[in-house]
Amino acid sequence: MAGNYLRLIIISFATLFISCSKENNTSTTPTGIYTNGVYILNEGPWQDPNSSSLFFYNPESNEVESNVFKEVNKNIGNDGLILGALPQSMTKEGDLIHIVINEDNKIFTINAHTAEYLGKITGLTSPRYMVTTPDHRAYVTSLEETKISIVDLVQEEFDTGSVLNKIDILNPLSSEFKQHTSERIIAVGDELFTNSWSNDNKILVIDPNTNKLKDSIEVGIQPQSMVLDKNKKLWVLCDGGYQTSPYGYTNGSIYRINTKDHTVEWHYTFPNTIPKRNICINGTGDTLYFIYTDIYRMKIGETEPSKVIEVQNQQTFYSLGIDPKNGDIYVGDAVDYKQAGMVYRFDKDFNKIDEFRVGILPNSFLFNYN
Amino acid sequence: MKSLFCHLILLLLLCPFVVLSQNNIAQDTLQIGSVTITHQGKSKYIAGKTITRISSQDIRQSSVDNFGEMIIQKSAIYSQQQGRGGAMYLSIRGMGRNHTEVLWNGIPLNSPMYGTVDFSLIPTNIVDQASIYFGGSATGYSTSNIGGTVELRTFPNLSDDLRGGIKASIGSFHTYKTSTNLSYKLAPKLTASSRLFYSSSLNDFKFINTYKVEPNEDGTAWINPEETNDQGDWLTYGLLQEFFYEFNDHSRLSVHYWGQSNDRSIPMLATDESNDQTNNKENNSSTESHRGSLRFNSEIDGWRLTALSAINFEKFHFWYKNRSSEKRSQDDKSSSTNIYNRFNVYKEINPDLSLHLEAQYNHMVIKTADQIYDQQESYKRDQQVISAKVSYQITPILSSSLTLMNQWNGGQNSGLTPFLGINLSILNNRKLDLTANINRNYRFPTLNDMYAIPGGNPELQEEDGWAYNIGAINILETEHFTFHNHIDYYHSEVKNWIELRPSEYGYWISSNKEKVVAYGISLKHETIWNIQHDFLIKGSFDYNYSRTLNRSTPVNSYDNSYNKQLPYIPEHTLTAGLSTSYHRWEGRLSWIWNSMQYSTSDNDTSNEYGTIDGYNVANLDISYHHNLIRTHKLIYTLSVYNLTNQTYESMVAQTMPGANFLLSINYNF
């Protein structure tokens, strides 16, 4: 069993993003073919499982298919199946896509090419993101509990997964704050890295062979997201907390971590407290992008980020994805947070080439290429 | 099991009274309560105001679980309830849940922290009469007048006799309820009233969960599982003790205490799948409240004086955890200590002119504690209010009422908040009245709006705007029939509407929406058919059409929310009732309908989401009155809720039970 974990390979889930298409290109008729395009996950309002949705965008034809999950699975059960409350992230594993549904404490698995529902994993606590292993297992992070769940994944229709074990990552030294919860998770070699976002400043290193917390790396306040570059360096975006936070409030920062010796190699502090979120990396692993009201870019050799896409017309950039194939940039706009959002697609030179309407609060993109 | 045993004992104790009935005195004609009374605006005191009263008789006869359910059966007010027995909030005329102010014997029940009142925690037993003031009709008495004000009151029984009653109920889903009330004289000038209440339910109804699917036994198809509602049980008990001391015919001192404890588990969303054999969530809340007041009334030289000093202490505890975990994931405690002081004088200057002056000084202290993060916060706010009301009968057919109010919250001055209402009787027999009023809307942000961590916004602006209402009231009476009709058109504008919204920070924040406009029509009708002296039929309906529109400048060119209905507010609300009494039998049928709601601000339904289905639900009560000796009486009532066994939800994914019943025995003397 331990050997399997040693062979752990990154099958990152993360968020590869892109988006585009026009409102008049939106269709609700399921085509049943969802390959070579972009899945867009819309989390919907809190406590309203009816209003989350999964869209699909074809970058070749610029066509958008809305509410794919509900349409494809409308003959399941008496009334069809809906996605649920606050879907948070998508992870691709071969021909499967696992959708982590945060408020419902579950993971749905669909066929990546047809969006047909295959099964679910239940019994989780506030799941956020996951990373899969070659033996069809996954490590799932949690915003609520100080544990990483190890789950047995769904592999075929009518399958149900289960929670096999949990890794305790509680920080026993912090009595004032509940540390550590977990957010993103990335496998590098035979180690797992996760960022403890809420009221914390740590990147945690987990040994999947022993299922123990192995190390922690201090970064800035509230590491919100992270990616791995082509040199296996970990880039961490810290949002700096919020104004009334008892844990602290700073300008936010970017950290580069050496994943071999767990040291901080470089860091950059932002000049102000404007919110930052969702660091992404392109397909070649050499250019970072993130939301800082506008869209900023930083090549991994640079020392300062630069603005590449400016907010216009009071847009509210909420999510970001980079097409690994061609470098197109997909930006999700929350509009007023309570209505159908927008997605803007830019080419790698930052020219807008499409825009289209999606569901409420588009929060992530998954590029589904063969 | 213990509860069931206690109730069986209680029911057995009540049975002997049935035997006494063999010599009962002559039958009496039953007096069924008014289904909905729309207050006629002829009095100068209420000129131009729209008020619905719920009579004490209606309240006594009701078998609903709480006062919120009583209100929505009597008036077209929209309710949101988190499952049966769960938290219940009322929205009046398309406004928000925190635009409804609730006063119990003059004490505000709204939480200074959140601004809301959970109506599921108000038992019917502690109210003798309720009045619903729509819009700004309660300006001066109430400080938050945007949606409306619900005034709950108790009255002393000053008779020399011992009066009282005991009621025991048993119902579906292991539901047990008991209440007693006694009014008694302790001394020639001292009377007392004691009321006890107890209610519990496992609330373990079964339902087909259409939000979930499981593989069938063969693993060849997906089916919706049958589930038992394992979150939603409640236990509520408490007492109301009152003393009334009559100094003379014009002066009275009264002391009131209402203590209550509530424990309940909160239903998870029906989509939640944290439940399995190893990982079940507990989601609970408990509240404890102690409300005491000292009231002095006196009349000196034509001046009526009232002084009220009250304290409202509430403790709230919310937590949830995985049953497989030793530690709770969330554990929040809060307490509020609110002190209210009101002093008012009233003078009937002449038969056509009266003056009412009031001053308030209120002090609120909120303490919150996050047990997980070991964080404590404390907030204080002082509030001062002064108001003056002049009621003037201008001519025999024209009356008016003018109220001027000013309040200060935490040192912030609201400025003058006026209300002007007029009433014109246009037919000689005064069977048709026209009414109109105009008032200023005003509401301070709550402490949570401003200081919550995270999400509080100290820069929030106060809600402000103007509202007006025009209406007509008509009463027709014949030998056997009485028809009562009331129509209102209302229009209300609120600038800086306060709302919670997600943010780029990853948590929800309080923010101002530039402008919201609500307008609509309210139609109320009641017919009373007096067929013979002991046979009566009453029918009524109360319909409200409400458009609550966002009139804020669009966020950007992609924002389609301008002039669209706000999410989670239905456009149509209807409640209808039919009641009859014949000899000793009585029947009451009520029907509630709420139309579809939008869940998005752009009201877009093209993507097969964005709406929440409307629902209707009917309830039926059948009672038999058994007269015993003298004033002693037994009333047996069978209540059937959700009579037509509808599958419905008041809030998304919060399943409500199908048809269910409650059997009650009520002994009154």
Side-chain angles (χ1 to χ4, degrees), chain A residues 48 51 67 70-71 78 104-105 120 123 125 144 176 313-314 336 338-339 355 357, chain B residues 213 224 271-273 279 320 322 373 499 555-560 601 607-608:
Chain A
D48 186 354
S51 295
N67 227 355
K70 187 175 179 182
E71 280 297 316
N78 294 340
D104 284 344
N105 303 294
K120 62 185 175 183
T125 301
E144 252 176 47
E176 188 178 1
N313 194 16
Q314 299 294 312
D336 68 347
K338 295 180 175 182
Q339 64 181 290
E355 64 179 35
R357 201 166 277 278
Chain B
V213 291
N224 297 121
T271 51
D272 179 89
E273 303 215 39
N279 191 2
Y320 74 98
N322 296 315
Y373 292 101
E499 64 175 6
V555 172
N556 58 36
S557 59
Y558 304 102
D559 181 357
N560 291 333
S601 63
N607 290 323
E608 296 195 12

mmCIF file of all heavy atoms in Angstrom, chain A residues 48 51 67 70-71 78 104-105 120 123 125 144 176 313-314 336 338-339 355 357, chain B residues 213 224 271-273 279 320 322 373 499 555-560 601 607-608:
data_model
loop_
_atom_site.group_PDB
_atom_site.id
_atom_site.type_symbol
_atom_site.label_atom_id
_atom_site.label_comp_id
_atom_site.label_asym_id
_atom_site.label_seq_id
_atom_site.Cartn_x
_atom_site.Cartn_y
_atom_site.Cartn_z
ATOM 1 N N ASP A 48 -28.296 27.240 -1.732
ATOM 2 C CA ASP A 48 -29.265 27.108 -2.813
ATOM 3 C C ASP A 48 -28.744 26.101 -3.824
ATOM 4 O O ASP A 48 -28.178 26.460 -4.851
ATOM 5 C CB ASP A 48 -29.506 28.477 -3.476
ATOM 6 C CG ASP A 48 -30.613 28.404 -4.514
ATOM 7 O OD1 ASP A 48 -31.103 27.293 -4.798
ATOM 8 O OD2 ASP A 48 -30.971 29.461 -5.059
ATOM 9 N N SER A 51 -29.230 26.215 -7.781
ATOM 10 C CA SER A 51 -28.724 27.273 -8.648
ATOM 11 C C SER A 51 -27.251 27.148 -9.004
ATOM 12 O O SER A 51 -26.687 28.051 -9.616
ATOM 13 C CB SER A 51 -28.982 28.640 -7.992
ATOM 14 O OG SER A 51 -30.361 28.865 -7.892
ATOM 15 N N ASN A 67 -25.845 24.464 -18.214
ATOM 16 C CA ASN A 67 -26.429 23.500 -17.277
ATOM 17 C C ASN A 67 -26.282 22.054 -17.738
ATOM 18 O O ASN A 67 -27.230 21.276 -17.733
ATOM 19 C CB ASN A 67 -27.909 23.834 -17.065
ATOM 20 C CG ASN A 67 -28.257 23.814 -15.601
ATOM 21 O OD1 ASN A 67 -27.423 23.466 -14.763
ATOM 22 N ND2 ASN A 67 -29.479 24.150 -15.278
ATOM 23 N N LYS A 70 -27.205 19.036 -15.209
ATOM 24 C CA LYS A 70 -28.633 18.820 -14.978
ATOM 25 C C LYS A 70 -29.313 18.251 -16.223
ATOM 26 O O LYS A 70 -30.151 17.359 -16.137
ATOM 27 C CB LYS A 70 -29.298 20.135 -14.562
ATOM 28 C CG LYS A 70 -30.745 19.974 -14.135
ATOM 29 C CD LYS A 70 -31.309 21.281 -13.618
ATOM 30 C CE LYS A 70 -32.768 21.110 -13.211
ATOM 31 N NZ LYS A 70 -33.359 22.364 -12.742
ATOM 32 N N GLU A 71 -28.938 18.773 -17.380
ATOM 33 C CA GLU A 71 -29.570 18.312 -18.614
ATOM 34 C C GLU A 71 -29.222 16.858 -18.916
ATOM 35 O O GLU A 71 -30.078 16.065 -19.261
ATOM 36 C CB GLU A 71 -29.129 19.200 -19.780
ATOM 37 C CG GLU A 71 -29.879 20.502 -19.855
ATOM 38 C CD GLU A 71 -31.359 20.301 -20.104
ATOM 39 O OE1 GLU A 71 -31.724 19.481 -20.957
ATOM 40 O OE2 GLU A 71 -32.175 20.943 -19.410
ATOM 41 N N ASN A 78 -36.415 10.373 -9.588
ATOM 42 C CA ASN A 78 -37.753 10.843 -9.965
ATOM 43 C C ASN A 78 -37.717 12.174 -10.687
ATOM 44 O O ASN A 78 -38.481 12.396 -11.620
ATOM 45 C CB ASN A 78 -38.623 11.001 -8.709
ATOM 46 C CG ASN A 78 -38.897 9.665 -8.053
ATOM 47 O OD1 ASN A 78 -38.774 8.624 -8.702
ATOM 48 N ND2 ASN A 78 -39.259 9.686 -6.791
ATOM 49 N N ASP A 104 -22.286 20.485 0.344
ATOM 50 C CA ASP A 104 -22.975 19.195 0.457
ATOM 51 C C ASP A 104 -22.060 18.092 0.966
ATOM 52 O O ASP A 104 -22.492 16.935 1.099
ATOM 53 C CB ASP A 104 -23.557 18.788 -0.893
ATOM 54 C CG ASP A 104 -24.806 19.575 -1.231
ATOM 55 O OD1 ASP A 104 -25.377 20.184 -0.313
ATOM 56 O OD2 ASP A 104 -25.204 19.584 -2.404
ATOM 57 N N ASN A 105 -20.801 18.386 1.183
ATOM 58 C CA ASN A 105 -19.862 17.432 1.774
ATOM 59 C C ASN A 105 -19.751 16.141 0.963
ATOM 60 O O ASN A 105 -19.841 15.031 1.499
ATOM 61 C CB ASN A 105 -20.286 17.107 3.217
ATOM 62 C CG ASN A 105 -20.381 18.357 4.062
ATOM 63 O OD1 ASN A 105 -19.387 19.015 4.321
ATOM 64 N ND2 ASN A 105 -21.597 18.703 4.474
ATOM 65 N N LYS A 120 -20.706 8.705 -6.404
ATOM 66 C CA LYS A 120 -20.372 9.772 -5.443
ATOM 67 C C LYS A 120 -19.558 9.226 -4.277
ATOM 68 O O LYS A 120 -19.561 8.017 -4.000
ATOM 69 C CB LYS A 120 -21.650 10.400 -4.906
ATOM 70 C CG LYS A 120 -22.524 9.410 -4.137
ATOM 71 C CD LYS A 120 -23.843 10.024 -3.717
ATOM 72 C CE LYS A 120 -24.740 8.970 -3.059
ATOM 73 N NZ LYS A 120 -26.047 9.514 -2.696
ATOM 74 N N GLY A 123 -19.697 11.508 3.131
ATOM 75 C CA GLY A 123 -19.082 11.432 4.452
ATOM 76 C C GLY A 123 -17.890 12.349 4.628
ATOM 77 O O GLY A 123 -17.112 12.181 5.566
ATOM 78 N N THR A 125 -16.112 16.303 5.066
ATOM 79 C CA THR A 125 -16.419 17.515 5.821
ATOM 80 C C THR A 125 -15.852 18.718 5.096
ATOM 81 O O THR A 125 -14.650 18.863 4.983
ATOM 82 C CB THR A 125 -15.814 17.430 7.238
ATOM 83 O OG1 THR A 125 -16.364 16.296 7.895
ATOM 84 C CG2 THR A 125 -16.135 18.684 8.040
ATOM 85 N N GLU A 144 -13.021 23.046 6.981
ATOM 86 C CA GLU A 144 -13.561 23.010 8.339
ATOM 87 C C GLU A 144 -12.724 22.196 9.305
ATOM 88 O O GLU A 144 -12.480 22.601 10.429
ATOM 89 C CB GLU A 144 -14.958 22.375 8.313
ATOM 90 C CG GLU A 144 -16.080 23.344 8.532
ATOM 91 C CD GLU A 144 -17.399 22.645 8.402
ATOM 92 O OE1 GLU A 144 -17.568 21.557 8.986
ATOM 93 O OE2 GLU A 144 -18.269 23.180 7.696
ATOM 94 N N GLU A 176 -5.247 29.711 19.956
ATOM 95 C CA GLU A 176 -6.110 30.842 19.628
ATOM 96 C C GLU A 176 -6.871 30.613 18.329
ATOM 97 O O GLU A 176 -8.016 31.005 18.198
ATOM 98 C CB GLU A 176 -5.277 32.113 19.528
ATOM 99 C CG GLU A 176 -6.114 33.367 19.377
ATOM 100 C CD GLU A 176 -5.261 34.622 19.329
ATOM 101 O OE1 GLU A 176 -4.019 34.518 19.402
ATOM 102 O OE2 GLU A 176 -5.850 35.695 19.211
ATOM 103 N N ASN A 313 -15.285 48.782 -17.011
ATOM 104 C CA ASN A 313 -16.724 48.799 -16.831
ATOM 105 C C ASN A 313 -17.132 48.098 -15.535
ATOM 106 O O ASN A 313 -18.107 47.368 -15.488
ATOM 107 C CB ASN A 313 -17.358 48.113 -18.050
ATOM 108 C CG ASN A 313 -18.831 48.367 -18.141
ATOM 109 O OD1 ASN A 313 -19.339 49.275 -17.492
ATOM 110 N ND2 ASN A 313 -19.508 47.556 -18.916
ATOM 111 N N GLN A 314 -16.339 48.289 -14.473
ATOM 112 C CA GLN A 314 -16.691 47.768 -13.143
ATOM 113 C C GLN A 314 -16.851 46.247 -13.108
ATOM 114 O O GLN A 314 -17.674 45.718 -12.378
ATOM 115 C CB GLN A 314 -17.976 48.426 -12.629
ATOM 116 C CG GLN A 314 -17.911 49.928 -12.470
ATOM 117 C CD GLN A 314 -16.936 50.336 -11.389
ATOM 118 O OE1 GLN A 314 -16.962 49.796 -10.288
ATOM 119 N NE2 GLN A 314 -16.069 51.272 -11.702
ATOM 120 N N ASP A 336 -22.794 40.890 -10.143
ATOM 121 C CA ASP A 336 -23.205 41.367 -8.805
ATOM 122 C C ASP A 336 -23.257 40.215 -7.785
ATOM 123 O O ASP A 336 -23.845 40.353 -6.736
ATOM 124 C CB ASP A 336 -24.557 42.086 -8.873
ATOM 125 C CG ASP A 336 -25.709 41.147 -9.194
ATOM 126 O OD1 ASP A 336 -25.434 40.002 -9.613
ATOM 127 O OD2 ASP A 336 -26.870 41.539 -9.034
ATOM 128 N N LYS A 338 -24.999 37.695 -7.749
ATOM 129 C CA LYS A 338 -26.318 37.095 -7.563
ATOM 130 C C LYS A 338 -27.014 36.769 -8.870
ATOM 131 O O LYS A 338 -28.203 36.481 -8.874
ATOM 132 C CB LYS A 338 -27.204 38.050 -6.752
ATOM 133 C CG LYS A 338 -26.711 38.257 -5.338
ATOM 134 C CD LYS A 338 -27.616 39.192 -4.588
ATOM 135 C CE LYS A 338 -27.174 39.282 -3.132
ATOM 136 N NZ LYS A 338 -28.051 40.144 -2.354
ATOM 137 N N GLN A 339 -26.307 36.890 -9.967
ATOM 138 C CA GLN A 339 -26.926 36.598 -11.260
ATOM 139 C C GLN A 339 -25.933 35.852 -12.130
ATOM 140 O O GLN A 339 -24.776 35.636 -11.747
ATOM 141 C CB GLN A 339 -27.365 37.874 -11.945
ATOM 142 C CG GLN A 339 -26.228 38.799 -12.316
ATOM 143 C CD GLN A 339 -26.716 40.073 -12.982
ATOM 144 O OE1 GLN A 339 -27.181 40.039 -14.105
ATOM 145 N NE2 GLN A 339 -26.623 41.182 -12.270
ATOM 146 N N GLU A 355 -16.605 36.466 -25.378
ATOM 147 C CA GLU A 355 -17.202 36.591 -24.048
ATOM 148 C C GLU A 355 -18.541 35.887 -24.073
ATOM 149 O O GLU A 355 -19.198 35.828 -25.117
ATOM 150 C CB GLU A 355 -17.364 38.061 -23.649
ATOM 151 C CG GLU A 355 -18.323 38.830 -24.532
ATOM 152 C CD GLU A 355 -18.466 40.275 -24.079
ATOM 153 O OE1 GLU A 355 -17.465 40.855 -23.605
ATOM 154 O OE2 GLU A 355 -19.573 40.817 -24.208
ATOM 155 N N ARG A 357 -22.032 34.359 -21.426
ATOM 156 C CA ARG A 357 -22.672 34.309 -20.113
ATOM 157 C C ARG A 357 -22.679 32.877 -19.607
ATOM 158 O O ARG A 357 -22.869 31.930 -20.382
ATOM 159 C CB ARG A 357 -24.104 34.849 -20.199
ATOM 160 C CG ARG A 357 -24.651 35.299 -18.871
ATOM 161 C CD ARG A 357 -25.895 36.131 -19.034
ATOM 162 N NE ARG A 357 -25.643 37.531 -19.314
ATOM 163 C CZ ARG A 357 -25.350 38.451 -18.387
ATOM 164 N NH1 ARG A 357 -25.250 38.103 -17.116
ATOM 165 N NH2 ARG A 357 -25.162 39.710 -18.723
ATOM 166 N N VAL B 213 -29.555 10.421 -5.001
ATOM 167 C CA VAL B 213 -29.799 9.128 -5.625
ATOM 168 C C VAL B 213 -28.845 8.102 -5.040
ATOM 169 O O VAL B 213 -27.724 8.430 -4.645
ATOM 170 C CB VAL B 213 -29.637 9.178 -7.166
ATOM 171 C CG1 VAL B 213 -30.747 9.995 -7.801
ATOM 172 C CG2 VAL B 213 -28.274 9.683 -7.569
ATOM 173 N N ASN B 224 -34.257 7.382 -5.749
ATOM 174 C CA ASN B 224 -34.254 8.367 -4.660
ATOM 175 C C ASN B 224 -34.503 7.642 -3.342
ATOM 176 O O ASN B 224 -35.463 6.882 -3.233
ATOM 177 C CB ASN B 224 -35.359 9.409 -4.874
ATOM 178 C CG ASN B 224 -35.153 10.209 -6.145
ATOM 179 O OD1 ASN B 224 -35.995 10.232 -7.035
ATOM 180 N ND2 ASN B 224 -34.014 10.864 -6.256
ATOM 181 N N THR B 271 -29.671 18.137 0.167
ATOM 182 C CA THR B 271 -28.586 17.702 -0.720
ATOM 183 C C THR B 271 -27.338 17.294 0.056
ATOM 184 O O THR B 271 -26.419 16.722 -0.517
ATOM 185 C CB THR B 271 -28.192 18.842 -1.682
ATOM 186 O OG1 THR B 271 -27.966 20.023 -0.914
ATOM 187 C CG2 THR B 271 -29.271 19.095 -2.705
ATOM 188 N N ASP B 272 -27.308 17.625 1.330
ATOM 189 C CA ASP B 272 -26.112 17.348 2.131
ATOM 190 C C ASP B 272 -25.885 15.844 2.240
ATOM 191 O O ASP B 272 -26.804 15.091 2.527
ATOM 192 C CB ASP B 272 -26.274 17.943 3.532
ATOM 193 C CG ASP B 272 -25.060 17.664 4.394
ATOM 194 O OD1 ASP B 272 -24.138 18.487 4.368
ATOM 195 O OD2 ASP B 272 -25.021 16.611 5.062
ATOM 196 N N GLU B 273 -24.648 15.416 2.002
ATOM 197 C CA GLU B 273 -24.357 13.990 2.090
ATOM 198 C C GLU B 273 -23.197 13.736 3.040
ATOM 199 O O GLU B 273 -22.389 12.851 2.824
ATOM 200 C CB GLU B 273 -24.090 13.418 0.688
ATOM 201 C CG GLU B 273 -25.264 13.664 -0.258
ATOM 202 C CD GLU B 273 -25.487 12.548 -1.256
ATOM 203 O OE1 GLU B 273 -25.348 11.370 -0.879
ATOM 204 O OE2 GLU B 273 -25.819 12.863 -2.403
ATOM 205 N N ASN B 279 -19.992 9.260 9.586
ATOM 206 C CA ASN B 279 -19.735 10.694 9.642
ATOM 207 C C ASN B 279 -21.046 11.466 9.551
ATOM 208 O O ASN B 279 -21.449 11.901 8.490
ATOM 209 C CB ASN B 279 -18.808 11.080 8.491
ATOM 210 C CG ASN B 279 -18.294 12.490 8.644
ATOM 211 O OD1 ASN B 279 -18.603 13.163 9.613
ATOM 212 N ND2 ASN B 279 -17.529 12.934 7.680
ATOM 213 N N TYR B 320 -21.947 22.952 15.572
ATOM 214 C CA TYR B 320 -22.102 21.707 14.832
ATOM 215 C C TYR B 320 -20.790 20.961 14.779
ATOM 216 O O TYR B 320 -19.717 21.531 14.900
ATOM 217 C CB TYR B 320 -22.722 21.935 13.458
ATOM 218 C CG TYR B 320 -21.862 22.552 12.407
ATOM 219 C CD1 TYR B 320 -21.235 21.753 11.462
ATOM 220 C CD2 TYR B 320 -21.720 23.923 12.318
ATOM 221 C CE1 TYR B 320 -20.476 22.319 10.457
ATOM 222 C CE2 TYR B 320 -20.963 24.493 11.320
ATOM 223 C CZ TYR B 320 -20.341 23.685 10.395
ATOM 224 O OH TYR B 320 -19.591 24.247 9.403
ATOM 225 N N ASN B 322 -19.038 16.820 13.503
ATOM 226 C CA ASN B 322 -19.225 15.472 12.997
ATOM 227 C C ASN B 322 -19.372 14.542 14.190
ATOM 228 O O ASN B 322 -18.640 14.659 15.171
ATOM 229 C CB ASN B 322 -18.016 15.034 12.182
ATOM 230 C CG ASN B 322 -17.860 15.899 10.969
ATOM 231 O OD1 ASN B 322 -18.826 16.176 10.287
ATOM 232 N ND2 ASN B 322 -16.634 16.358 10.724
ATOM 233 N N TYR B 373 -12.185 29.431 17.962
ATOM 234 C CA TYR B 373 -11.033 30.319 17.828
ATOM 235 C C TYR B 373 -10.737 31.096 19.108
ATOM 236 O O TYR B 373 -9.816 31.907 19.151
ATOM 237 C CB TYR B 373 -11.274 31.308 16.676
ATOM 238 C CG TYR B 373 -11.298 30.644 15.341
ATOM 239 C CD1 TYR B 373 -12.503 30.374 14.703
ATOM 240 C CD2 TYR B 373 -10.121 30.252 14.727
ATOM 241 C CE1 TYR B 373 -12.516 29.748 13.460
ATOM 242 C CE2 TYR B 373 -10.130 29.627 13.495
ATOM 243 C CZ TYR B 373 -11.330 29.381 12.867
ATOM 244 O OH TYR B 373 -11.342 28.761 11.648
ATOM 245 N N GLU B 499 -27.709 44.686 2.437
ATOM 246 C CA GLU B 499 -27.769 43.269 2.077
ATOM 247 C C GLU B 499 -26.414 42.610 2.325
ATOM 248 O O GLU B 499 -25.387 43.282 2.413
ATOM 249 C CB GLU B 499 -28.150 43.104 0.614
ATOM 250 C CG GLU B 499 -27.104 43.679 -0.346
ATOM 251 C CD GLU B 499 -27.404 43.411 -1.801
ATOM 252 O OE1 GLU B 499 -28.481 42.872 -2.096
ATOM 253 O OE2 GLU B 499 -26.542 43.734 -2.635
ATOM 254 N N VAL B 555 -24.074 47.310 -11.973
ATOM 255 C CA VAL B 555 -22.647 47.167 -11.654
ATOM 256 C C VAL B 555 -21.810 47.396 -12.905
ATOM 257 O O VAL B 555 -20.791 48.076 -12.888
ATOM 258 C CB VAL B 555 -22.381 45.755 -11.074
ATOM 259 C CG1 VAL B 555 -20.901 45.512 -10.910
ATOM 260 C CG2 VAL B 555 -23.124 45.571 -9.778
ATOM 261 N N ASN B 556 -22.226 46.798 -14.006
ATOM 262 C CA ASN B 556 -21.560 47.011 -15.289
ATOM 263 C C ASN B 556 -22.565 46.680 -16.393
ATOM 264 O O ASN B 556 -23.733 46.404 -16.121
ATOM 265 C CB ASN B 556 -20.271 46.191 -15.401
ATOM 266 C CG ASN B 556 -20.510 44.702 -15.224
ATOM 267 O OD1 ASN B 556 -21.533 44.178 -15.651
ATOM 268 N ND2 ASN B 556 -19.577 44.031 -14.582
ATOM 269 N N SER B 557 -22.109 46.708 -17.613
ATOM 270 C CA SER B 557 -23.046 46.519 -18.726
ATOM 271 C C SER B 557 -23.588 45.094 -18.790
ATOM 272 O O SER B 557 -24.540 44.825 -19.513
ATOM 273 C CB SER B 557 -22.359 46.874 -20.036
ATOM 274 O OG SER B 557 -21.224 46.047 -20.208
ATOM 275 N N TYR B 558 -22.974 44.187 -18.038
ATOM 276 C CA TYR B 558 -23.453 42.809 -18.026
ATOM 277 C C TYR B 558 -24.473 42.570 -16.905
ATOM 278 O O TYR B 558 -25.020 41.488 -16.760
ATOM 279 C CB TYR B 558 -22.283 41.841 -17.853
ATOM 280 C CG TYR B 558 -21.224 42.025 -18.903
ATOM 281 C CD1 TYR B 558 -20.048 42.698 -18.616
ATOM 282 C CD2 TYR B 558 -21.429 41.563 -20.201
ATOM 283 C CE1 TYR B 558 -19.086 42.895 -19.589
ATOM 284 C CE2 TYR B 558 -20.471 41.749 -21.180
ATOM 285 C CZ TYR B 558 -19.299 42.421 -20.869
ATOM 286 O OH TYR B 558 -18.350 42.613 -21.846
ATOM 287 N N ASP B 559 -24.679 43.569 -16.098
ATOM 288 C CA ASP B 559 -25.591 43.446 -14.949
ATOM 289 C C ASP B 559 -27.024 43.628 -15.444
ATOM 290 O O ASP B 559 -27.417 44.723 -15.861
ATOM 291 C CB ASP B 559 -25.216 44.509 -13.903
ATOM 292 C CG ASP B 559 -26.100 44.433 -12.673
ATOM 293 O OD1 ASP B 559 -27.036 43.603 -12.652
ATOM 294 O OD2 ASP B 559 -25.856 45.199 -11.721
ATOM 295 N N ASN B 560 -27.793 42.563 -15.387
ATOM 296 C CA ASN B 560 -29.183 42.616 -15.858
ATOM 297 C C ASN B 560 -30.175 42.696 -14.702
ATOM 298 O O ASN B 560 -31.325 42.282 -14.836
ATOM 299 C CB ASN B 560 -29.491 41.371 -16.697
ATOM 300 C CG ASN B 560 -28.740 41.377 -18.004
ATOM 301 O OD1 ASN B 560 -28.411 42.445 -18.526
ATOM 302 N ND2 ASN B 560 -28.459 40.208 -18.535
ATOM 303 N N SER B 601 -30.627 37.657 -9.185
ATOM 304 C CA SER B 601 -30.995 39.071 -9.245
ATOM 305 C C SER B 601 -31.411 39.491 -10.644
ATOM 306 O O SER B 601 -32.070 40.509 -10.820
ATOM 307 C CB SER B 601 -29.827 39.934 -8.766
ATOM 308 O OG SER B 601 -28.720 39.768 -9.630
ATOM 309 N N ASN B 607 -31.891 29.175 -18.146
ATOM 310 C CA ASN B 607 -30.974 28.051 -17.972
ATOM 311 C C ASN B 607 -31.500 26.984 -17.032
ATOM 312 O O ASN B 607 -30.751 26.209 -16.466
ATOM 313 C CB ASN B 607 -29.627 28.565 -17.445
ATOM 314 C CG ASN B 607 -28.890 29.343 -18.501
ATOM 315 O OD1 ASN B 607 -28.938 28.986 -19.672
ATOM 316 N ND2 ASN B 607 -28.256 30.421 -18.104
ATOM 317 N N GLU B 608 -32.811 26.963 -16.844
ATOM 318 C CA GLU B 608 -33.461 25.958 -16.009
ATOM 319 C C GLU B 608 -33.015 26.025 -14.564
ATOM 320 O O GLU B 608 -33.058 25.046 -13.842
ATOM 321 C CB GLU B 608 -33.247 24.546 -16.562
ATOM 322 C CG GLU B 608 -33.890 24.368 -17.931
ATOM 323 C CD GLU B 608 -34.000 22.914 -18.328
ATOM 324 O OE1 GLU B 608 -33.802 22.055 -17.463
ATOM 325 O OE2 GLU B 608 -34.281 22.663 -19.496
#
